[in-house]
Amino acid sequence: ENSPDDASSIRSAGILTEQGLAESETNVGGPFDQQVRPAYERIIHRILTFRRAPRHGAILLASAIPGEGVSTIARNTAIALGRGRSEGVVLVDANLRSPSQHSAFRTRMDVGLGDVLKGTVSLTSAIRPNVSIGLALLTAGKATASPPQILTISALHGIVMALTSLFDWIIIDGPAVTIYPETASLASAAGGAILVVEAERTRQEVVEEAKRVMSDSGVEILGAVLNRRKYHIPSVIYRRL
């Protein structure tokens, strides 16, 4: 039986960072915590090296199971990507079952992605510009009873293509891969994906299933974030192993 903290299942995807990023919230518009800055710099570097023509800049962040810190990591990645660059960045809250980005940015979600997909509002009217430096936000929008019915592959491809004409980078905060079927559609529409895994919680076979679902969608997995890892011996020793 595989132990819960067995990280071998994500090493083949490439671990981008092993820090507790979900506990290190960045104040919107404020400076990054110096302890997590290097970790986000590695994530951004991987995203930037991925962006080669003819790929578009839509990146999905998703976890294997709920509660692994995806929304915080997606938000901070989008904030970091928007700072110090001329490119436009939009953060899309595609977790229609449990949205959170509107709360973090202290804005309403009366219109958002779900409403655009249902055809009740236009995409441009649903986008909230300048929620942070160089960053726009597309909230989840009003609650919907059945996200898979509106988060279809064709509809999401259309949204991503439309956003690509407006922004250079699209960071998508998605739901858990192994639980909710719409995540596969989001992965199909994205150019690349980053898998967030909580150390010592998510079992190896669950991570393998998440990787399989993403791979089957055709998305390129850029790497994995092993979040909330606990070092039972000093971390400097881990780095020498």
Short mmCIF file of all heavy atoms in Angstrom, two decimals, residues 53-96:
data_model
loop_
_atom_site.label_atom_id
_atom_site.label_comp_id
_atom_site.label_asym_id
_atom_site.label_seq_id
_atom_site.Cartn_x
_atom_site.Cartn_y
_atom_site.Cartn_z
N ALA A 53 5.18 29.68 -29.34
CA ALA A 53 4.20 29.60 -30.42
C ALA A 53 4.11 28.16 -30.92
O ALA A 53 5.13 27.46 -30.99
CB ALA A 53 4.60 30.54 -31.55
N PRO A 54 2.92 27.66 -31.27
CA PRO A 54 1.66 28.42 -31.38
C PRO A 54 0.79 28.32 -30.14
O PRO A 54 -0.42 28.50 -30.23
CB PRO A 54 1.00 27.72 -32.56
CG PRO A 54 1.41 26.28 -32.39
CD PRO A 54 2.80 26.31 -31.83
N ARG A 55 1.36 27.98 -28.99
CA ARG A 55 0.54 27.83 -27.79
C ARG A 55 -0.01 29.18 -27.33
O ARG A 55 0.64 30.20 -27.47
CB ARG A 55 1.38 27.23 -26.66
CG ARG A 55 1.89 25.82 -26.91
CD ARG A 55 2.55 25.32 -25.64
NE ARG A 55 3.04 23.97 -25.78
CZ ARG A 55 4.33 23.65 -25.92
NH1 ARG A 55 5.23 24.62 -25.96
NH2 ARG A 55 4.72 22.40 -26.03
N HIS A 56 -1.21 29.13 -26.75
CA HIS A 56 -1.74 30.33 -26.11
C HIS A 56 -1.41 30.28 -24.63
O HIS A 56 -0.93 29.28 -24.12
CB HIS A 56 -3.25 30.46 -26.36
CG HIS A 56 -4.05 29.27 -25.92
ND1 HIS A 56 -4.22 28.95 -24.60
CD2 HIS A 56 -4.73 28.33 -26.63
CE1 HIS A 56 -4.97 27.87 -24.50
NE2 HIS A 56 -5.29 27.47 -25.72
N GLY A 57 -1.67 31.38 -23.93
CA GLY A 57 -1.23 31.50 -22.55
C GLY A 57 -2.28 31.16 -21.51
O GLY A 57 -2.35 31.82 -20.48
N ALA A 58 -3.10 30.14 -21.76
CA ALA A 58 -4.11 29.72 -20.78
C ALA A 58 -3.55 28.57 -19.95
O ALA A 58 -3.23 27.50 -20.48
CB ALA A 58 -5.39 29.29 -21.48
N ILE A 59 -3.45 28.79 -18.64
CA ILE A 59 -2.87 27.81 -17.73
C ILE A 59 -3.90 27.44 -16.67
O ILE A 59 -4.42 28.30 -15.96
CB ILE A 59 -1.60 28.35 -17.03
CG1 ILE A 59 -0.62 28.93 -18.05
CG2 ILE A 59 -0.96 27.27 -16.18
CD1 ILE A 59 -0.06 27.93 -19.03
N LEU A 60 -4.22 26.14 -16.57
CA LEU A 60 -5.14 25.65 -15.56
C LEU A 60 -4.38 25.19 -14.33
O LEU A 60 -3.39 24.45 -14.44
CB LEU A 60 -5.95 24.46 -16.12
CG LEU A 60 -6.79 23.67 -15.11
CD1 LEU A 60 -7.95 24.50 -14.60
CD2 LEU A 60 -7.30 22.37 -15.76
N LEU A 61 -4.82 25.61 -13.15
CA LEU A 61 -4.33 25.07 -11.90
C LEU A 61 -5.45 24.28 -11.25
O LEU A 61 -6.57 24.81 -11.09
CB LEU A 61 -3.85 26.17 -10.95
CG LEU A 61 -2.46 26.74 -11.27
CD1 LEU A 61 -2.55 27.83 -12.33
CD2 LEU A 61 -1.78 27.28 -10.00
N ALA A 62 -5.18 23.04 -10.93
CA ALA A 62 -6.21 22.17 -10.35
C ALA A 62 -5.56 21.18 -9.42
O ALA A 62 -4.36 20.89 -9.52
CB ALA A 62 -6.99 21.45 -11.45
N SER A 63 -6.35 20.64 -8.51
CA SER A 63 -5.85 19.66 -7.55
C SER A 63 -6.44 18.29 -7.85
O SER A 63 -7.37 18.16 -8.65
CB SER A 63 -6.23 20.08 -6.12
OG SER A 63 -7.64 20.16 -6.00
N ALA A 64 -5.90 17.27 -7.20
CA ALA A 64 -6.46 15.93 -7.35
C ALA A 64 -7.78 15.81 -6.60
O ALA A 64 -8.75 15.25 -7.10
CB ALA A 64 -5.46 14.89 -6.85
N ILE A 65 -7.82 16.35 -5.38
CA ILE A 65 -9.02 16.32 -4.54
C ILE A 65 -9.24 17.72 -3.97
O ILE A 65 -8.32 18.55 -3.99
CB ILE A 65 -8.90 15.28 -3.40
CG1 ILE A 65 -7.67 15.59 -2.52
CG2 ILE A 65 -8.84 13.87 -3.96
CD1 ILE A 65 -7.53 14.66 -1.33
N PRO A 66 -10.44 18.02 -3.46
CA PRO A 66 -10.69 19.37 -2.92
C PRO A 66 -9.84 19.69 -1.70
O PRO A 66 -9.39 18.79 -0.97
CB PRO A 66 -12.18 19.31 -2.55
CG PRO A 66 -12.76 18.20 -3.36
CD PRO A 66 -11.66 17.18 -3.48
N GLY A 67 -9.61 20.98 -1.48
CA GLY A 67 -8.96 21.44 -0.27
C GLY A 67 -7.46 21.39 -0.26
O GLY A 67 -6.84 21.37 0.81
N GLU A 68 -6.83 21.40 -1.44
CA GLU A 68 -5.36 21.31 -1.49
C GLU A 68 -4.69 22.66 -1.71
O GLU A 68 -3.47 22.72 -1.90
CB GLU A 68 -4.94 20.31 -2.57
CG GLU A 68 -5.47 18.91 -2.29
CD GLU A 68 -4.83 17.85 -3.16
OE1 GLU A 68 -5.33 17.61 -4.27
OE2 GLU A 68 -3.84 17.25 -2.72
N GLY A 69 -5.46 23.74 -1.69
CA GLY A 69 -4.87 25.08 -1.76
C GLY A 69 -4.76 25.67 -3.15
O GLY A 69 -4.01 26.63 -3.36
N VAL A 70 -5.52 25.15 -4.11
CA VAL A 70 -5.41 25.61 -5.50
C VAL A 70 -5.76 27.08 -5.65
O VAL A 70 -5.05 27.83 -6.33
CB VAL A 70 -6.31 24.76 -6.42
CG1 VAL A 70 -6.36 25.37 -7.82
CG2 VAL A 70 -5.80 23.34 -6.50
N SER A 71 -6.85 27.53 -5.04
CA SER A 71 -7.32 28.90 -5.27
C SER A 71 -6.30 29.93 -4.82
O SER A 71 -6.06 30.93 -5.51
CB SER A 71 -8.66 29.13 -4.57
OG SER A 71 -9.67 28.34 -5.16
N THR A 72 -5.66 29.72 -3.68
CA THR A 72 -4.64 30.64 -3.20
C THR A 72 -3.44 30.65 -4.13
O THR A 72 -2.91 31.71 -4.49
CB THR A 72 -4.19 30.26 -1.78
OG1 THR A 72 -5.31 30.35 -0.90
CG2 THR A 72 -3.09 31.19 -1.29
N ILE A 73 -3.01 29.46 -4.56
CA ILE A 73 -1.84 29.38 -5.44
C ILE A 73 -2.15 29.98 -6.81
O ILE A 73 -1.32 30.68 -7.40
CB ILE A 73 -1.36 27.91 -5.54
CG1 ILE A 73 -0.87 27.44 -4.17
CG2 ILE A 73 -0.27 27.76 -6.60
CD1 ILE A 73 -0.56 25.96 -4.09
N ALA A 74 -3.34 29.73 -7.34
CA ALA A 74 -3.73 30.33 -8.62
C ALA A 74 -3.77 31.85 -8.52
O ALA A 74 -3.28 32.56 -9.41
CB ALA A 74 -5.09 29.79 -9.05
N ARG A 75 -4.34 32.35 -7.44
CA ARG A 75 -4.45 33.80 -7.25
C ARG A 75 -3.07 34.44 -7.16
O ARG A 75 -2.78 35.44 -7.84
CB ARG A 75 -5.26 34.09 -5.99
CG ARG A 75 -5.40 35.56 -5.65
CD ARG A 75 -6.48 35.77 -4.61
NE ARG A 75 -6.27 35.04 -3.37
CZ ARG A 75 -6.96 33.95 -3.00
NH1 ARG A 75 -7.88 33.44 -3.79
NH2 ARG A 75 -6.73 33.37 -1.84
N ASN A 76 -2.20 33.89 -6.35
CA ASN A 76 -0.87 34.48 -6.17
C ASN A 76 -0.02 34.33 -7.43
O ASN A 76 0.81 35.19 -7.73
CB ASN A 76 -0.17 33.85 -4.97
CG ASN A 76 -0.75 34.31 -3.65
OD1 ASN A 76 -1.47 35.30 -3.60
ND2 ASN A 76 -0.45 33.59 -2.58
N THR A 77 -0.21 33.23 -8.16
CA THR A 77 0.49 33.08 -9.43
C THR A 77 0.07 34.16 -10.42
O THR A 77 0.90 34.76 -11.11
CB THR A 77 0.22 31.68 -10.04
OG1 THR A 77 0.73 30.68 -9.15
CG2 THR A 77 0.88 31.54 -11.40
N ALA A 78 -1.24 34.43 -10.49
CA ALA A 78 -1.74 35.47 -11.39
C ALA A 78 -1.23 36.84 -10.97
O ALA A 78 -0.84 37.66 -11.82
CB ALA A 78 -3.27 35.45 -11.39
N ILE A 79 -1.22 37.12 -9.67
CA ILE A 79 -0.71 38.40 -9.18
C ILE A 79 0.77 38.54 -9.53
O ILE A 79 1.21 39.59 -10.02
CB ILE A 79 -0.93 38.52 -7.66
CG1 ILE A 79 -2.42 38.64 -7.34
CG2 ILE A 79 -0.17 39.73 -7.11
CD1 ILE A 79 -2.74 38.57 -5.85
N ALA A 80 1.54 37.49 -9.30
CA ALA A 80 2.98 37.53 -9.58
C ALA A 80 3.23 37.70 -11.07
O ALA A 80 4.15 38.43 -11.49
CB ALA A 80 3.64 36.26 -9.07
N LEU A 81 2.43 37.04 -11.89
CA LEU A 81 2.61 37.12 -13.34
C LEU A 81 2.28 38.52 -13.86
O LEU A 81 2.87 39.00 -14.82
CB LEU A 81 1.71 36.08 -14.01
CG LEU A 81 1.94 35.78 -15.49
CD1 LEU A 81 3.35 35.29 -15.74
CD2 LEU A 81 0.93 34.74 -15.97
N GLY A 82 1.34 39.19 -13.21
CA GLY A 82 0.93 40.52 -13.66
C GLY A 82 1.86 41.63 -13.26
O GLY A 82 1.82 42.72 -13.85
N ARG A 83 2.72 41.39 -12.28
CA ARG A 83 3.61 42.43 -11.80
C ARG A 83 4.90 42.51 -12.62
O ARG A 83 5.50 41.50 -12.93
CB ARG A 83 3.96 42.20 -10.33
CG ARG A 83 2.78 42.37 -9.40
CD ARG A 83 3.16 42.16 -7.96
NE ARG A 83 2.00 42.34 -7.09
CZ ARG A 83 2.03 42.19 -5.78
NH1 ARG A 83 3.17 41.85 -5.18
NH2 ARG A 83 0.95 42.36 -5.06
N GLY A 84 5.30 43.72 -12.94
CA GLY A 84 6.57 43.91 -13.61
C GLY A 84 6.58 43.50 -15.07
O GLY A 84 7.65 43.36 -15.67
N ARG A 85 5.40 43.26 -15.65
CA ARG A 85 5.33 42.87 -17.06
C ARG A 85 4.26 43.70 -17.75
O ARG A 85 3.29 44.12 -17.15
CB ARG A 85 5.01 41.37 -17.20
CG ARG A 85 6.08 40.47 -16.65
CD ARG A 85 5.73 39.00 -16.80
NE ARG A 85 6.79 38.16 -16.29
CZ ARG A 85 6.91 37.82 -15.01
NH1 ARG A 85 6.03 38.26 -14.13
NH2 ARG A 85 7.90 37.06 -14.61
N SER A 86 4.47 43.89 -19.04
CA SER A 86 3.51 44.69 -19.81
C SER A 86 2.32 43.87 -20.27
O SER A 86 1.31 44.41 -20.69
CB SER A 86 4.21 45.30 -21.03
OG SER A 86 4.75 44.29 -21.86
N GLU A 87 2.46 42.52 -20.20
CA GLU A 87 1.38 41.67 -20.68
C GLU A 87 0.16 41.77 -19.76
O GLU A 87 0.28 41.94 -18.55
CB GLU A 87 1.82 40.20 -20.74
CG GLU A 87 2.99 39.93 -21.66
CD GLU A 87 4.30 39.86 -20.91
OE1 GLU A 87 4.39 40.51 -19.84
OE2 GLU A 87 5.23 39.19 -21.39
N GLY A 88 -1.03 41.63 -20.35
CA GLY A 88 -2.25 41.61 -19.57
C GLY A 88 -2.51 40.21 -19.03
O GLY A 88 -2.28 39.21 -19.71
N VAL A 89 -2.99 40.12 -17.80
CA VAL A 89 -3.27 38.85 -17.14
C VAL A 89 -4.70 38.86 -16.62
O VAL A 89 -5.15 39.86 -16.05
CB VAL A 89 -2.30 38.59 -15.96
CG1 VAL A 89 -2.60 37.24 -15.31
CG2 VAL A 89 -0.86 38.65 -16.43
N VAL A 90 -5.43 37.76 -16.81
CA VAL A 90 -6.76 37.62 -16.24
C VAL A 90 -6.81 36.33 -15.43
O VAL A 90 -6.30 35.29 -15.86
CB VAL A 90 -7.87 37.63 -17.32
CG1 VAL A 90 -7.73 36.48 -18.30
CG2 VAL A 90 -9.25 37.64 -16.67
N LEU A 91 -7.38 36.42 -14.25
CA LEU A 91 -7.60 35.25 -13.40
C LEU A 91 -9.06 34.84 -13.55
O LEU A 91 -9.97 35.66 -13.36
CB LEU A 91 -7.30 35.59 -11.94
CG LEU A 91 -7.65 34.54 -10.88
CD1 LEU A 91 -6.87 33.25 -11.10
CD2 LEU A 91 -7.40 35.10 -9.47
N VAL A 92 -9.29 33.58 -13.90
CA VAL A 92 -10.64 33.07 -14.12
C VAL A 92 -11.00 32.09 -13.02
O VAL A 92 -10.32 31.09 -12.83
CB VAL A 92 -10.74 32.37 -15.50
CG1 VAL A 92 -12.16 31.83 -15.71
CG2 VAL A 92 -10.36 33.32 -16.62
N ASP A 93 -12.06 32.38 -12.27
CA ASP A 93 -12.55 31.47 -11.25
C ASP A 93 -13.51 30.50 -11.91
O ASP A 93 -14.69 30.78 -12.10
CB ASP A 93 -13.25 32.23 -10.12
CG ASP A 93 -13.50 31.35 -8.90
OD1 ASP A 93 -13.40 30.11 -9.03
OD2 ASP A 93 -13.78 31.90 -7.82
N ALA A 94 -12.98 29.32 -12.29
CA ALA A 94 -13.79 28.31 -12.98
C ALA A 94 -14.27 27.22 -12.03
O ALA A 94 -14.80 26.20 -12.48
CB ALA A 94 -13.00 27.68 -14.12
N ASN A 95 -14.10 27.45 -10.73
CA ASN A 95 -14.61 26.50 -9.74
C ASN A 95 -16.03 26.94 -9.37
O ASN A 95 -16.26 27.58 -8.34
CB ASN A 95 -13.71 26.47 -8.51
CG ASN A 95 -14.06 25.35 -7.56
OD1 ASN A 95 -15.10 24.70 -7.70
ND2 ASN A 95 -13.20 25.10 -6.59
N LEU A 96 -16.97 26.61 -10.24
CA LEU A 96 -18.33 27.10 -10.06
C LEU A 96 -19.02 26.48 -8.87
O LEU A 96 -20.01 27.00 -8.37
CB LEU A 96 -19.16 26.82 -11.33
CG LEU A 96 -18.62 27.40 -12.65
CD1 LEU A 96 -19.68 27.27 -13.75
CD2 LEU A 96 -18.19 28.84 -12.50
#
